[in-house]
Amino acid sequence: MCSNYESLAKSRAQLLNLFEPTFDYKSDLFPGFNGPIIIATNGGLEWRSGRFGLIPNWAKEINKIKNTYNARSETIASKPSFKNAWKKINFA
C-alpha cells in the first residue's frame, strides 16, 4: 500500500458529475488522515469521508494504521499485519 495519496482534483470530480465534497479535507493524505472517497450507490456516485489506511482486525487501537502502510520483504512473513495474507499467496 502507498504511504500517501492525493485527493481527486475538482476538474476530475466534474467529469464524474460530482460536486466538490461538503466536508473539509487535506489535498495530500497519509495513513490516519480523513479524506474524500467515492462510493457507488443505487443512485450513482457520492462522496464519503473515510480514514486512509489498513486497520488489522486484531488492532485494539486506531493508531496501529501508521504501522501498516509499508510491507518489507525481509519481515513480511513474521509481522502480524501481513503474515496471514502472505501465507495465502501461491508462488507457483
Side-chain angles (χ1 to χ4, degrees), residues 2-92:
C2 295
S3 62
N4 73 314
Y5 81 96
E6 188 176 336
S7 56
L8 192 65
K10 291 179 188 179
S11 60
R12 295 196 183 189
Q14 290 171 347
L15 291 174
L16 297 170
N17 292 324
L18 290 171
F19 294 107
E20 193 169 348
T22 57
F23 50 86
D24 291 332
Y25 62 92
K26 296 182 181 203
S27 61
D28 239 0
L29 300 166
F30 293 88
F33 286 29
N34 284 335
I37 58 173
I38 299 172
I39 301 291
T41 63
N42 291 338
L45 301 173
E46 67 181 53
W47 291 109
R48 300 260 177 97
S49 178
R51 185 167 291 185
F52 174 51
L54 169 68
I55 303 172
N57 63 353
W58 50 263
K60 299 209 188 305
E61 298 176 18
I62 197 89
N63 64 2
K64 293 291 183 190
I65 63 175
K66 294 177 182 150
N67 300 327
T68 58
Y69 69 85
N70 194 9
R72 291 186 169 89
S73 61
E74 300 86 13
T75 59
I76 194 167
S78 63
K79 296 293 181 181
S81 301
F82 305 108
K83 68 180 180 182
N84 288 332
W86 185 254
K87 287 179 195 175
K88 295 177 183 178
I89 295 175
N90 183 359
F91 292 103

